[in-house]
Amino acid sequence: MDMKLKTDEALAALPADSPHLFLNRELSLLEFNRRVLEQAEDASVPLLERLRFLTIVSSNLDEFFEVRVASLLAQHQAHGGPDPGQADLAGASEECRQIIGRQYALLNAQILPQLSANGIHLLRRSDRNAAQKAWVKQYFDKEVRPLLTPVGLDPAHPFPRVINKSLNFIIELAGKDAFGRGSGIAIMKAPRVLPRLIRLPDDLSDKPGASYCLLTSVIQAHMADLFTGREIVSYSQFRVTRNSDLWVDEEEVKNLRQALQSELHSRNYGFAVRLEVARGCPKHLADFLLDQFSIDRSRLFTVDGPVNMGRLLEIVNSNARPDLKFAPYVPGFPAKLVNAHDTFAVLRKQDVLLHHPYQSFQPVIDFVRCAATDPNVVAIKQTIYRAGSNSELMDSLINAALRGKEVTVIVELMARFDEEANINWAERLEEAGAQVVYGVVGLKTHAKMALVLRREPDGLRRYAHLGTGNYNPTTARFYTDFGLLTADDEITADVNEVFIHLTSLTRPTQLAAMWLAPFTLQKEIVKAIRQEAAIARDGKPARIIAKMNSLTDESVIRALYEASGDGVRIDLIVRGACSLRPGVPGLSDNIRVRSIVGRFLEHTRIYYFRNNLRNDVYLGSADWMNRNLFRRVEVAFPIRSPALKKRVLREGLQVYLKDNVNAWELGSDGRSRRRKARGSQPAFGAQQFLMDTLGAQGTVNAHDKENDHGTDPVAPRRG
């Protein structure tokens, strides 16, 4: 009870937005990227996979600026405040600078030399032999030069519009132009139709293996050919990152899809938030660019290499070198569905739990495909958030509509960076005769649900799939997610009610089993946390374990602080941003936060509450963030089968708490520290364990067996 008093006093003494209560979201997100970067620095990771992790950091930082930094800048501009580049974002800019410095140092000092030693060469101009230089010259003349359009700046040739994240050059010139004028600066865009990484013919190389060069290197080697009679004083490649949020007044537009189609083009020209230049860029040219794009100097980044390191991913993708990559992995298949000729008959007997990518996503595809072709199925309803541009699953929905079934698809058009693909699917579905709905105005439909209605001898029967991840077979190969196939009467009835709510826009009825955002999800989470706290106050064991991508909702965090003060043991597995401060005396003594960064992207959302050994387990699509709990349509669904509860606890939580290979523990200072095996303690990696046990060659390939550890994860913490 003393701990409870200390926690109450700590919470009461600090303002609601006190930085002592909450870690900064942006810095926490960058801390996640430090963890990803550490994977690239880890010599035990295969070399091409290390390069892949480097490119992932670059992609993540692009999105960080396009979304988070742009959002903060927009907020300050809307309120007429000062440029947060000098205030709120100063710390984030410095963190980015450190991460980027480590990235390029690693690329130049380790990754590229080691790749070259293994027969994969990225050649600079000075590295190319005479035959390669001649080939590059020919390539430039035939393929590159005809597409280049240098623009010499003068009153008739103003600074051109620069597309988001495109490759460009700024060139400083001496001497007079063809008309006797001394215009000194030219801007040149690199054509988007050209590959950024070019493989040189193998027979020209005096080194064994594959040789590449960057498009920037080709252009720079022959740039003088473009400015006859002028001297190039200096030049630099540069790239501008822009705000990429789409804005559509959903309440005003008559057709959201048409409005988005026109808005997508504008995304390339949002306000600028970051400028990247090459290491040798003179200060006056960088200042000129900063002025043109109205970017604060704190968001200028000078890089020692290609301004878009992400382009080097092509080296990973184009080299079939199993010795330099992770060993191939074949996912397992649920024993209950092996040789099952009638999936619906299986589900009438029992639920089926799928754990991706350790288990195949094929059963989900088969579920929808079978529904599309089964003459007894009369209707299919499904939500789509990120399906990808090519999808067998979407083709099945189109096929079902063409066969005359009632097909309703809720397509989220505002899924960031997937808007164009989703618009295309919506058009194809409508052409096939499906009913397409775009969700709820002002809310993103993020729930992952598919519902099948089948006519059977005793009447219509419902079957459902619910998941924590997207209906995307590609990402299902490297995102960790759970999915549930079920014919449970209450759960499927709830799913049907949610679909009716989304299409009719009526307030949903009281759901029997599921939690629904924005109506009940946050309330139920806080209620479950407080219920666990009440159990602890009665002197009984109390336990909360939750796994998610991000934790930033302040109300949930305060409830967790209070539960910690009551004596609830809390373990949180948070992949990315976490605003909760763990391990603060008198505030969060009983809370531990860890993150897993490995071969697969951790994407599963699991909420576990011991609840006097009722062992409540919920899976869902929502992180514990304000946006998910109040500005999205999300569902959390219970796992009811005792055997499947054990599987979720063992595969989704317990093994991650045991991990001492890919686990990072978050300190109260906001920094993560890698957890390693101590003394004689064996190394244990959760992802490798699950690959070994659930994969096609796994030792526990039944997948549905109850484990021997029970369902009560309240044993004393280790290490």
Side-chain angles (χ1 to χ4, degrees):
M1 194 59 69
D2 289 342
M3 183 180 293
K4 168 66 173 172
L5 290 173
K6 289 180 180 178
T7 303
D8 289 344
E9 290 171 359
L11 288 169
L14 294 170
D17 59 350
S18 171
H20 298 289
L21 282 179
F22 307 109
L23 296 171
N24 179 274
R25 174 178 172 180
E26 280 65 44
L27 295 181
S28 182
L29 198 54
L30 292 173
E31 182 69 12
F32 162 66
N33 282 290
R34 283 181 176 270
R35 299 193 289 270
V36 178
L37 180 57
E38 181 101 358
Q39 291 294 111
E41 294 172 332
D42 188 343
S44 68
V45 174
L47 184 57
L48 284 172
E49 303 295 349
R50 294 175 67 188
L51 179 56
R52 188 193 303 276
F53 279 116
L54 267 187
T55 65
I56 289 172
V57 173
S58 289
S59 176
N60 288 349
L61 290 180
D62 282 353
E63 185 170 342
F64 177 77
F65 278 93
E66 288 177 286
V67 179
R68 292 305 310 155
V69 172
S71 175
L72 292 174
L73 285 167
Q75 290 175 28
H76 278 252
Q77 291 170 5
H79 292 91
D83 182 353
Q86 300 296 332
D88 297 355
L89 292 176
S93 294
E94 180 57 32
E95 284 289 310
C96 288
R97 209 170 301 285
Q98 292 181 20
I99 291 171
I100 292 168
R102 282 173 58 184
Q103 262 190 295
Y104 283 89
L106 178 63
L107 176 72
N108 295 317
Q110 294 188 37
I111 303 299
L112 292 181
Q114 291 180 32
L115 283 173
S116 185
N118 281 276
I120 301 173
H121 315 285
L122 183 63
L123 303 180
R124 297 180 174 89
R125 277 180 287 171
S126 59
D127 299 327
R128 298 195 280 266
N129 61 32
Q132 289 170 332
K133 288 178 180 177
W135 186 91
V136 167
K137 168 64 173 171
Q138 185 180 46
Y139 180 84
F140 175 80
D141 288 339
K142 290 186 175 182
E143 301 291 336
V144 181
R145 179 171 181 157
L147 299 177
L148 294 176
T149 307
V151 177
L153 302 186
D154 68 8
H157 299 82
F159 197 96
R161 297 182 76 188
V162 173
I163 292 175
N164 181 37
K165 296 186 296 186
S166 62
L167 174 62
N168 306 271
F169 292 87
I170 181 170
I171 304 109
E172 183 179 15
L173 302 167
K176 302 292 185 180
D177 64 20
F179 305 98
R181 296 171 300 184
S183 56
I185 292 181
I187 301 296
M188 183 168 63
K189 302 177 182 180
R192 288 186 289 171
V193 296
L194 292 177
R196 276 12 184 192
L197 188 74
I198 302 156
R199 181 162 179 170
L200 303 176
D202 293 346
D203 59 356
L204 301 181
S205 180
D206 47 17
K207 299 178 181 179
S211 294
Y212 300 86
C213 65
L214 292 166
L215 177 63
T216 51
S217 176
V218 172
I219 293 175
Q220 289 165 359
H222 303 284
M223 190 179 292
D225 298 351
L226 300 167
F227 299 97
T228 306
R230 305 292 298 276
E231 177 190 352
I232 295 178
V233 178
S234 59
Y235 63 86
S236 176
Q237 53 180 299
F238 72 89
R239 191 171 78 128
V240 173
T241 310
R242 297 181 178 275
N243 171 35
S244 288
D245 252 356
L246 296 180
W247 187 87
V248 174
D249 191 339
E250 297 177 62
E251 296 184 355
E252 292 295 327
V253 299
K254 295 181 179 179
N255 187 310
L256 179 60
R257 189 173 76 198
Q258 291 178 1
L260 268 179
Q261 284 174 313
S262 62
E263 184 71 13
L264 278 172
H265 177 72
S266 302
R267 165 181 277 167
N268 288 324
Y269 301 103
F271 65 83
V273 296
R274 175 181 61 167
L275 173 66
E276 295 167 283
V277 298
R279 181 184 60 177
C281 182
K283 181 179 181 298
H284 65 279
L285 292 186
D287 288 341
F288 175 79
L289 291 171
L290 289 172
D291 183 62
Q292 290 295 320
F293 297 115
S294 300
I295 299 176
D296 185 86
R297 173 165 285 278
S298 66
R299 296 190 297 281
L300 167 68
F301 294 87
T302 303
V303 301
D304 189 11
V307 293
N308 185 357
M309 193 186 293
R311 295 294 189 177
L312 298 182
L313 182 61
E314 181 58 26
I315 292 178
V316 182
N317 294 336
S318 64
N319 277 276
R321 290 287 301 272
D323 56 320
L324 300 181
K325 293 184 178 181
F326 288 129
Y329 175 69
V330 180
F333 204 87
K336 293 173 183 175
L337 296 179
V338 173
N339 299 322
H341 300 293
D342 186 348
T343 301
F344 301 117
V346 173
L347 297 182
R348 284 194 292 272
K349 295 178 182 178
Q350 59 199 326
D351 292 349
V352 175
L353 184 72
L354 305 170
H355 194 177
H356 315 301
Y358 311 107
Q359 290 179 291
S360 174
F361 191 72
Q362 190 62 40
V364 182
I365 297 173
D366 291 344
F367 175 70
V368 178
R369 185 177 60 205
C370 291
T373 57
D374 186 334
N376 294 316
V377 169
V378 296
I380 304 172
K381 302 180 182 182
Q382 187 160 348
T383 59
I384 293 297
Y385 193 74
R386 300 188 194 278
S389 55
N390 297 301
S391 172
E392 185 180 351
L393 189 147
M394 298 297 289
D395 289 339
S396 291
L397 292 174
I398 291 170
N399 182 33
L402 291 172
R403 287 171 174 263
K405 300 184 188 298
E406 294 295 327
V407 177
T408 302
V409 185
I410 298 173
V411 180
E412 180 48 68
L413 295 184
M414 299 290 283
R416 186 181 289 122
F417 304 123
D418 278 68
E419 297 94 346
E420 187 172 0
N422 288 1
I423 287 171
N424 292 336
W425 283 123
E427 291 175 343
R428 289 186 59 189
L429 286 161
E430 285 185 339
E431 288 172 0
Q435 177 72 45
V436 177
V437 179
Y438 303 139
V440 181
V441 170
L443 302 175
K444 288 186 179 182
T445 301
H446 193 246
K448 325 298 183 184
M449 309 180 298
L451 182 69
V452 171
L453 285 86
R454 189 172 187 268
R455 193 175 301 283
E456 298 182 356
D458 56 349
L460 285 178
R461 180 104 185 219
R462 294 180 297 262
Y463 300 86
H465 171 267
L466 292 152
T468 66
N470 297 303
Y471 288 109
N472 188 321
T474 300
T475 58
R477 292 198 294 267
F478 55 92
Y479 282 28
T480 70
D481 278 302
F482 275 112
L484 180 71
L485 289 166
T486 182
D488 180 285
D489 285 339
E490 286 190 341
I491 292 177
T492 58
D494 281 355
V495 172
N496 194 51
E497 285 298 321
V498 175
F499 274 110
I500 292 173
H501 156 62
L502 290 172
T503 56
S504 70
L505 303 181
T506 57
R507 188 173 181 87
T509 60
Q510 182 69 36
L511 301 182
M514 301 199 319
W515 299 344
L516 173 66
F519 300 100
T520 62
L521 181 54
Q522 197 248 26
K523 294 176 184 177
E524 292 291 350
I525 290 169
V526 172
K527 178 181 175 182
I529 294 170
R530 289 175 176 166
Q531 172 68 20
E532 211 63 29
I535 292 169
R537 290 196 297 272
D538 288 340
K540 300 175 184 177
R543 190 82 163 96
I544 296 172
I545 313 175
K547 186 171 186 288
M548 63 202 72
N549 297 338
S550 301
L551 169 59
T552 60
D553 184 78
E554 294 184 2
S555 295
V556 172
I557 292 173
R558 285 176 171 275
L560 290 169
Y561 285 156
E562 292 169 359
S564 170
D566 285 318
V568 181
R569 282 184 48 210
I570 302 170
D571 274 291
L572 304 171
I573 306 165
V574 184
R575 184 192 81 210
C578 178
S579 297
L580 180 146
R581 286 188 185 274
V584 177
L587 181 67
S588 54
D589 308 72
N590 285 315
I591 304 178
R592 182 172 64 175
V593 178
R594 62 170 42 203
S595 175
I596 305 294
V597 180
R599 172 174 180 169
F600 301 123
L601 181 78
E602 294 296 333
H603 194 250
T604 317
R605 287 90 165 191
I606 308 170
Y607 322 144
Y608 166 75
F609 306 95
R610 187 174 184 270
N611 195 14
N612 279 330
L613 279 180
R614 292 183 181 87
N615 295 308
D616 298 331
V617 175
Y618 282 81
L619 303 178
S621 53
D623 296 313
W624 288 356
M625 304 176 70
N626 185 272
R627 73 174 190 192
N628 295 81
L629 302 177
F630 294 106
R631 300 196 303 277
R632 289 186 174 184
V633 176
E634 306 268 18
V635 296
F637 52 95
I639 300 299
R640 290 178 156 178
S641 160
L644 297 188
K645 281 186 182 183
K646 289 182 179 181
R647 275 196 58 202
V648 172
L649 286 170
R650 178 172 184 255
E651 299 171 19
L653 298 176
Q654 290 170 333
V655 296
Y656 287 98
L657 297 181
K658 186 181 176 184
D659 193 302
N660 56 21
V661 173
N662 294 316
W664 295 75
E665 293 195 347
L666 181 64
S668 58
D669 60 353
R671 290 294 188 188
S672 298
R673 293 157 185 87
R674 196 159 192 170
R675 188 170 185 266
K676 298 180 180 179
R678 299 176 182 174
S680 60
Q681 186 182 34
F684 179 85
Q687 292 189 354
Q688 188 61 55
F689 172 80
L690 293 169
M691 290 170 65
D692 292 342
T693 56
L694 295 180
Q697 305 301 318
T699 57
V700 190
N701 202 28
H703 303 310
D704 306 310
K705 293 169 59 178
E706 294 187 13
N707 67 76
D708 297 328
H709 303 290
T711 57
D712 186 17
V714 293
R717 286 176 174 156
R718 298 171 56 193

